[in-house]
Structures are given as structure tokens and as C-alpha cells.
Amino acid sequence: AHLGVYALLCFLYLWWMKPDSRAVQWRIVVLLTVFGSLIEVLQGTFYTDRLADWRDALANSLGCLMAMPVYHFMRRRYSH
């Protein structure tokens, strides 16, 4: 679920922002990856009934990375 949710989150953020620069696109991916990792750390720190799982953070990151090629495909297809 983490992978799909973060892929969708990152894609929607990219689609909304429509950055032309690859550097800005990568900053968005990194920002959301850090956000997902931070949530995992905070979850393990502040909740006794929740655990921080590195696999969830990895899935969040992979989801963000998967959003990039989808964004580029959709942008080329629907930018006309």
C-alpha cells in the first residue's frame, strides 16, 4: 500500500506543480521521500502501538521514484 500511495501522491504533486526543470522534479521526489521517512521515524518514536519499518520507508521512496516516468509519459501525452 505504501508504494502505491506514495506513487500517487508524488504523481499528483508533480502534475499539480508542473515543474519544467528536472532539478525541481527531483527535489519534489526527494522532499516526499524525506517526508515519508520522517513519518516512519515519528511513528516509531511517539506511538507505543506502532513501529517504524524501514521497508515502509523504502516502499515510500520507490513509489516516489515510480511516479517520475509516469509523470513524464502523461505530460508528453496530454500537453498538446
Side-chain angles (χ1 to χ4, degrees), residues 10-55:
C10 191
F11 171 78
L12 290 175
Y13 199 84
L14 286 165
W15 194 257
W16 176 62
M17 295 288 291
K18 295 197 183 342
D20 290 326
S21 163
R22 288 270 180 151
V24 173
Q25 293 168 14
W26 280 110
R27 283 187 195 122
I28 290 169
V29 168
V30 169
L31 174 76
L32 291 173
T33 298
V34 169
F35 174 74
S37 298
L38 179 64
I39 294 238
E40 285 300 317
V41 169
L42 293 174
Q43 179 174 277
T45 304
F46 291 110
Y47 294 98
T48 58
D49 59 335
R50 304 281 306 199
L51 298 174
D53 190 351
W54 66 269
R55 292 170 293 208

Side-chain angles (χ1 to χ4, degrees), residues 52-64:
D53 190 351
W54 66 269
R55 292 170 293 208
D56 288 344
L58 178 63
N60 297 345
S61 303
L62 291 175
C64 287

